[in-house]
Amino acid sequence: MSKYPCLEIDLNKISYNVKKIKDICRDKGISTAFVTKVFCGDETIIKEIVNSGADTLGESRIDNFRRLKKLHFKKLLVRIPMISEVEEVVEYCDISLNSELKVIQALSREAENRSKKHSIILMVDLGDLREGVLPKDAIEIVKEILELKGIELLGIGTNLTCYGGVIPDENNMGRLLEIKNNIEESLNINIPLVSGGNSSSLYMVEGGNIPKGINHLRIGEGFILGRETAFGKDIDHLHKDVFTLKGEIIEIKEKPSIPEGKIGLDAFGNKPEFEDKGFMKRAIVALGKQDILLEGIYPRDKKIEILGASSDHLILNITSCGNKYSVGDIVEFDVNYGCLLSVMTSSYIEKRYIK
Ligand SMILES: *Cc1c(COP(=O)(O)O)cnc(C)c1O
C-alpha cells in the first residue's frame, strides 16, 4: 500500500548529479565538498552520494555525523561550531569551518587531549555579513591559530549569497586569494585550500572565469536541484527532478473564489485577501504547512494553480484541468530548497526511494 503524502527520491539522478558536479569542478582544478545538510542525515541518500564518488560531505548538525559515523567519508561541519559542542566536533568531524579564536582554542585543547589534530578552514567575511572574520583581522588570527598544537589550518574560505545576497565575482574571489597570499607571505606558511563558496559560485566555474587558485567549493543545491544559486539558472545536463512530492486529493468541489461572511484572521493569524474570480473547481490535497513551505512547491501540471494552505490542507484551483482529477488521485509537485528542507524534516511525509 502506498502512503501519502510522500517524497519520491530518485537515487540514480542524485548519483548522476554528484558525478557531473564533481567533473565540472575537477576540470577547473576544484575539489568539491557535497553539502548534504538538507537531507537530515538520511542514510540511504548519504550512502548513494558517497558511493557516487563524493569524498567529503558537509553537514551543519553534529547529530547527523554521529549517526553516520560508520560511513567512510571526510566529515566537514559547515556551521561554525558552538563552543558547547567542541568535544563532539573533534570526535565526529574531520574538518570544521571557523571564525572565533575562542572556539578554535577550545577545539585545539580537545584535540590535544585526544592526541589528534583537528583541521579547520578559517572563514573570511567578504561582505555577505554572515560568518567570517573581517579581512583586516585575518593575519592576526592566523598568527594565533599557528600557536595551537591541536589545530591544522587546512585553508581559508568564504560564504556568499546566503544572508546579504552578495554574488561571488572576480573581485571578491580575487580578494580571498589576495588574503591567502598575504598570510602565506607574511607568516611564511602554506595554505592548501581556498574554499570559494557554495552553489552561487558555480556560474563562474561554468563560465570559466573563476580565478585560478580557488581550489575548493562547498556545493549543496547545485547537485541536489541542478541549479546554480547566484542567478537561479539551471545547470546544463543535470537532473532538476530528483525529488517529487506527492499528495492525495481528499475533496473536489465547485466553490466561489471569495469567502462568505465577515473576514477575520486565518489559522496563522493573518488577514487573508481574495480576488473574485467567480466559481472555480477547487481541490484539497492532504498536505499542509506542517509539512511544506507553501512558497516552495510547484505543481508539475502547469494548469494547476495553488490558492493557499492551512496546517494540513492544501487548496488548489483545478478549473483549467477539465475532468482530469477526481478524489483519491495523486498530485505531483516540484520543490525548492526551502521546501525540500521542511519535507525532509517532516516525519509525516514518507520518503520513498527509487532506483
Ligand atoms: C549550506 C552551506 C553551503 C552549501 O550551500 P548551497 O547553496 O546549497 O550550495 C556551503 N557552505 C556553507 C557554509 C553552508 O552553510
Side-chain angles (χ1 to χ4, degrees), residues 193-246:
L193 223 62
V194 184
S195 190
N198 53 47
S199 299
S200 69
S201 297
L202 281 173
Y203 87 96
M204 298 188 84
V205 180
E206 284 186 293
N209 57 343
I210 191 148
K212 217 171 133 53
I214 302 289
N215 59 11
H216 183 263
L217 290 177
R218 310 173 307 272
I219 304 297
E221 188 162 343
F223 84 94
I224 294 164
L225 296 176
R227 29 177 262 149
E228 58 81 30
T229 54
F231 305 100
K233 292 216 181 78
D234 287 352
I235 302 171
D236 279 353
H237 312 303
L238 288 196
H239 294 291
K240 283 99 198 163
D241 56 350
V242 173
F243 304 92
T244 309
L245 176 64
K246 296 184 170 187

Side-chain angles (χ1 to χ4, degrees), residues 80-224:
I80 52 172
M82 297 183 265
I83 201 160
S84 60
E85 64 183 358
V86 292
E87 280 181 34
E88 289 161 303
V89 175
V90 171
E91 174 152 6
Y92 298 113
C93 309
D94 302 297
I95 313 163
S96 58
L97 307 182
N98 282 273
S99 66
E100 286 290 349
L101 187 59
K102 189 174 163 187
V103 178
I104 301 168
Q105 286 165 337
L107 286 167
S108 179
R109 281 192 296 274
E110 187 59 35
E112 271 192 273
N113 286 345
R114 294 163 189 256
S115 313
K116 62 189 214 184
K117 281 211 175 214
H118 180 72
S119 296
I120 66 163
I121 294 174
L122 179 69
M123 296 302 275
V124 182
D125 191 328
L126 295 177
D128 200 54
L129 301 183
R130 207 178 75 177
E131 72 275 52
V133 301
L134 292 175
K136 69 174 174 57
D137 300 326
I139 289 190
E140 276 313 305
I141 190 170
V142 169
K143 242 189 232 164
E144 302 279 348
I145 291 169
L146 296 176
E147 302 291 317
L148 303 173
K149 295 201 174 58
I151 296 294
E152 183 187 335
L153 181 64
L154 186 62
I156 67 167
T158 194
N159 197 54
L160 295 167
T161 341
C162 260
Y163 178 72
V166 174
I167 289 174
D169 56 20
E170 272 134 334
N171 236 332
N172 47 35
M173 287 296 106
R175 210 153 154 230
L176 186 63
L177 288 166
E178 212 177 272
I179 294 166
K180 178 223 175 203
N181 291 335
N182 275 345
I183 296 172
E184 286 189 332
E185 277 163 30
S186 54
L187 302 177
N188 196 21
I189 57 167
N190 175 38
I191 295 181
L193 223 62
V194 184
S195 190
N198 53 47
S199 299
S200 69
S201 297
L202 281 173
Y203 87 96
M204 298 188 84
V205 180
E206 284 186 293
N209 57 343
I210 191 148
K212 217 171 133 53
I214 302 289
N215 59 11
H216 183 263
L217 290 177
R218 310 173 307 272
I219 304 297
E221 188 162 343
F223 84 94
I224 294 164

